[in-house]
Amino acid sequence: MPLLIDGVNVDSFLATFNGDVNIPYLVSSARRLTDTVDESTTQSHVPVLYVGQRELGTVPTGDTTVRHLLADEATTCHIVALHAADVGVSLGHFDGCGVEDGVRRMLDSLTACGATALQVLQLHIVGGFTGKKQNKLTAELLMAVNKQSAPVRLRTACVNNLNSRVVRGVCRPIATGLCISVATGEVSATRQPYPADLIPDLALRSARVYTGSRRMLDVYDRMQRHLAVGPFHYDPLPAARFWAVAPDDVILANLSTSPEVESDEFVSRTRVALNLIFNHPEPLKSLFRDGQPRRYYCSADGLWLPVTT
């Protein structure tokens, strides 16, 4: 059985899964994460490969460029980390689009890094909270893993009921981010968004989520050790300018799946992405020179800088 859950018949578990996770070892592992949520802006994790919504990235263990992979701002989204010991790590930020294809590509990328058919990979999932309709996404991810040929053991499921707290009468997620070490596969949970000024092309990458492809985008070139964005097309959004100048509460109410629990950065990041869509309605012409990816290399101090040719 490709998906392994200790002490549980996986077929029976998936057939009756309603979103709540009550398996003792998963309760314990989720509690370890939520009890030690990193409240900082994760500056200590530099150099980090940031993986945005509807993106994935895989880094081999021997890669000396990237120390950690990190994804954040997952309220109803789910962040998935896969670790193949002595081979590499893969991280994906799933919003419900391209789930099965994204899971398959994460596993295929680890195989390309050297994972064998008999090697059991370790799976960690963070995201979702009680009261939102993300139970379907949790189930889709687990079923997508179970359809693959590689054996994968579920180590952490910090989702839904195991990732919820009530603050002033509002249920909200405890952890909204996940960081994984390339060298060890150790995971930690985060709550604060990663600094926007450390994320190359954040607005462009976010714009793709609104009107672009539903396929997961692989953002790391393992051969060149570059962050590689695109190239990609997104459809025009005639109302982009309207939304970009709309009041905060209107943006939250209409463009968020969980307006009551979004971070303080959500609205500002959304405005920047919408303005980019308005200013660059044809990104393949204006942003991707000669149809090539926008590439960045990691400097000695852990910052991603544009590759110049």
Side-chain angles (χ1 to χ4, degrees), residues 165-240:
R165 60 175 178 160
V166 176
V167 179
R168 294 187 291 275
V170 176
C171 185
R172 59 181 60 238
I174 301 171
T176 55
L178 183 65
C179 181
I180 183 167
S181 165
V182 173
T184 67
E186 180 181 358
V187 296
S188 58
T190 66
R191 184 177 298 137
Q192 296 299 322
Y194 195 68
D197 60 349
L198 296 179
I199 306 172
D201 281 330
L202 176 60
L204 175 59
R205 295 157 71 177
S206 300
R208 176 179 173 271
V209 173
Y210 289 101
T211 64
S213 170
R214 294 174 61 84
R215 194 168 191 253
M216 299 281 284
L217 179 70
D218 190 340
V219 295
Y220 192 64
D221 182 335
R222 297 187 297 277
M223 297 296 293
Q224 299 292 330
R225 297 186 177 182
H226 288 168
L227 169 65
V229 179
F232 54 75
H233 166 77
Y234 50 71
D235 293 330
L237 184 62

Side-chain angles (χ1 to χ4, degrees), residues 16-192:
T16 59
F17 181 68
N18 64 358
D20 287 347
V21 178
N22 299 302
I23 299 168
Y25 86 94
L26 292 176
V27 173
S28 297
S29 63
R31 184 171 295 124
R32 283 194 296 272
L33 274 189
T34 56
D35 285 349
T36 57
V37 170
D38 186 355
E39 294 288 358
S40 74
T41 54
T42 63
Q43 294 277 12
S44 61
H45 295 313
V46 171
V48 65
L49 176 68
Y50 178 85
V51 177
Q53 184 174 339
R54 210 176 296 169
E55 293 180 351
L56 62 89
T58 302
V59 179
T61 301
D63 190 315
T64 57
T65 300
V66 177
R67 186 179 302 165
H68 294 87
L69 282 75
L70 180 142
D72 65 3
E73 295 277 68
T75 53
T76 55
C77 291
H78 285 24
I79 302 169
V80 174
L82 284 166
H83 175 225
D86 300 320
V87 172
V89 296
S90 187
L91 192 71
H93 185 150
F94 289 82
D95 61 5
C97 296
V99 171
E100 188 171 337
D101 177 67
V103 167
R104 178 188 55 77
R105 289 165 61 207
M106 289 176 70
L107 290 166
D108 286 349
S109 66
L110 287 173
T111 299
C113 291
T116 68
L118 297 179
Q119 184 171 9
V120 179
L121 310 184
Q122 309 303 312
L123 170 65
H124 308 272
I125 306 177
V126 168
F129 61 102
T130 299
K132 286 293 177 181
K133 297 179 180 179
Q134 66 280 313
N135 297 354
K136 179 182 177 182
L137 179 54
T138 310
E140 285 181 350
L141 283 166
L142 294 175
M143 288 188 288
V145 172
N146 199 43
K147 289 180 180 179
Q148 310 306 313
S149 58
V152 178
R153 173 167 284 110
L154 182 60
R155 291 289 303 277
T156 306
C158 188
V159 298
N160 307 335
N161 62 309
L162 299 184
N163 190 38
S164 299
R165 60 175 178 160
V166 176
V167 179
R168 294 187 291 275
V170 176
C171 185
R172 59 181 60 238
I174 301 171
T176 55
L178 183 65
C179 181
I180 183 167
S181 165
V182 173
T184 67
E186 180 181 358
V187 296
S188 58
T190 66
R191 184 177 298 137
Q192 296 299 322

